[in-house]
Amino acid sequence: GSFVLAVLFAFFTNRLFVFSERGNFWVDMVLFFASRIVSTLVFEFGAMYVLINLLQQNRELSKFFGSFLVTIANYFISKYFVFRKRGKA
C-alpha cells in the first residue's frame, strides 16, 4: 500500500516537475514502477545484506547508506531510462 502510493507520488512529481522529456504515459509509468522495484531490491536490500550480514556493520547506518544509494540510483535510472527521448516508431 504505502510503497505503491509513494511511487505514484514520485512518478507524478518527477513527470511534471523534474524531467522535461516525456513519452507515453503508461509506458513511462510501467518503467518507473519497474525501476523503483529493481533499484530497491538491488541497492537497498543488497547493501543491507552485504553491510549487515557480511561486514557486520551497524543496522541503522546500513539502512541509511542503502537508502542513499537508492535515491542516487533512482535519479539516474529515471533520467536515462524512464524519462528519456525515444525514437518515434
Side-chain angles (χ1 to χ4, degrees):
S2 61
F3 177 80
V4 172
L5 291 176
V7 174
L8 268 176
F9 178 78
F11 171 74
F12 284 110
T13 56
N14 277 263
R15 185 173 170 86
L16 294 173
F17 303 114
V18 178
F19 299 104
S20 60
E21 291 300 325
R22 292 181 217 152
N24 178 284
F25 176 85
W26 296 107
V27 171
D28 285 353
M29 183 181 281
V30 168
L31 290 173
F32 194 84
F33 267 86
S35 70
R36 290 307 193 260
I37 291 167
V38 169
S39 67
T40 299
L41 288 173
V42 170
F43 292 104
E44 187 165 355
F45 295 141
M48 295 275 294
Y49 177 79
V50 169
L51 292 170
I52 295 169
N53 295 328
L54 301 180
L55 300 176
Q56 305 298 313
Q57 297 299 309
N58 177 279
R59 183 175 297 276
E60 287 76 26
L61 286 175
S62 298
K63 176 73 173 165
F64 174 79
F65 184 71
S67 295
F68 177 77
L69 288 178
V70 167
T71 302
I72 301 301
N74 283 342
Y75 173 79
F76 285 104
I77 291 169
S78 291
K79 181 174 177 67
Y80 295 110
F81 181 65
V82 178
F83 300 109
R84 63 174 168 83
K85 288 185 182 178
R86 293 184 187 94
K88 302 280 183 194

